[in-house]
Amino acid sequence: MSTLHLVDHPMIQHKLTIMRQKDTSTKAFRELLNEISLLLGYEVTRDFPLTDKMIETPLQTMVGKEISGKKVAIVPILRAGLGMVDGLVTLIPVAKVGHIGLYRDETTHQPVFYYCKLPADIDQRFVIVSDPMLATGGSACDAISLLKDKGCTNIRMMCLVAAPEGIGRLQAEHPDVDIYTAAVDERLNENAYILPGLGDAGDRIFGTK
């Protein structure tokens, strides 16, 4: 079974509370999501392997540490997942970025695939899938299935807010994929939106609400 990592750092919780408020501006929402994404990225990459490196400080020679050959790809689920990319790229500037386009059918609540562009060597990379909301889990599961079809074997899911229903589905369909989130909310409503949630993340990021 995959592990659920609830990242409850006080700074993340403070910023998330501001994001949840309905009167938070698009500008503030976007900036806060960027900041939280960087902080979540610290936890997603916490167990990256290190290797020794001999360096020269201004005073003497010493053995430092550097990340050991870990190639990373960031794959946002369009469109809301784009809001988490800049924070992750700030943390991991050498990461390559792919894109998977899925939207939710408003009648069936099922994900509909429309776009995919990934690094050529995606199967050799540690992949971070980003989407602010893990609601039903449909889009996340479909995106991860697509990545596995491309040969990816080391995938982690990073979201801002998750519903128990989405967590359960992802863990059932992809038990090898750990989930990193800033909050686990109560449930989904009849329209498959997370409660209490923060509304439609894509609309709030891009000002289309």
Side-chain angles (χ1 to χ4, degrees), residues 3-203:
T3 301
L4 174 67
H5 302 265
L6 178 59
V7 186
D8 57 356
H9 190 283
M11 291 305 300
I12 291 179
Q13 297 306 309
H14 174 82
K15 294 174 187 293
L16 177 58
T17 295
I18 299 172
M19 292 181 71
R20 287 186 189 272
Q21 297 174 48
K22 64 180 181 181
D23 57 350
T24 296
S25 69
T26 297
K27 177 179 182 292
F29 190 94
R30 189 182 296 144
E31 291 172 347
L32 289 162
L33 179 58
N34 180 63
E35 293 166 8
I36 291 177
S37 298
L38 189 151
L39 296 172
L40 284 171
Y42 278 115
E43 295 305 316
V44 176
T45 59
R46 176 176 289 278
D47 62 352
F48 274 17
L50 295 172
T51 187
D52 292 342
K53 180 179 182 179
M54 188 68 68
I55 63 170
E56 294 280 348
T57 78
L59 299 176
Q60 68 176 59
T61 301
M62 67 162 287
V63 177
K65 299 288 185 182
E66 65 177 2
I67 293 174
S68 176
K70 182 69 75 174
K71 296 194 294 183
V72 177
I74 301 162
V75 180
I77 299 175
L78 304 180
R79 66 181 166 142
L82 287 172
M84 307 183 83
V85 172
D86 285 350
L88 286 170
V89 169
T90 299
L91 181 67
I92 317 167
V94 298
K96 291 187 177 180
V97 180
H99 299 87
I100 294 176
L102 293 163
Y103 70 88
R104 187 177 73 161
D105 184 288
E106 293 302 325
T107 302
T108 66
H109 309 311
Q110 296 302 308
V112 179
F113 170 81
Y114 67 92
Y115 183 77
C116 179
K117 183 69 172 179
L118 301 170
D121 62 348
I122 190 73
D123 60 323
Q124 302 170 35
R125 291 181 175 269
F126 174 95
V127 181
I128 303 171
V129 177
S130 68
D131 194 351
M133 312 302 284
L134 181 62
T136 65
S139 294
C141 286
D142 284 3
I144 290 167
S145 292
L146 187 152
L147 289 165
K148 288 182 175 180
D149 288 344
K150 300 288 186 181
C152 299
T153 58
N154 196 344
I155 305 169
R156 293 181 183 179
M157 180 73 206
M158 190 179 94
C159 57
L160 184 65
V161 177
E165 295 91 332
I167 293 169
R169 178 171 176 178
L170 198 153
Q171 289 182 326
E173 294 189 19
H174 298 287
D176 56 332
V177 175
D178 282 2
I179 304 166
Y180 292 77
T181 185
V184 177
D185 278 12
E186 294 174 10
R187 60 183 176 87
L188 299 178
N189 68 8
E190 63 277 6
N191 293 315
Y193 279 94
I194 300 174
L195 294 177
L198 46 71
D200 187 300
D203 284 343

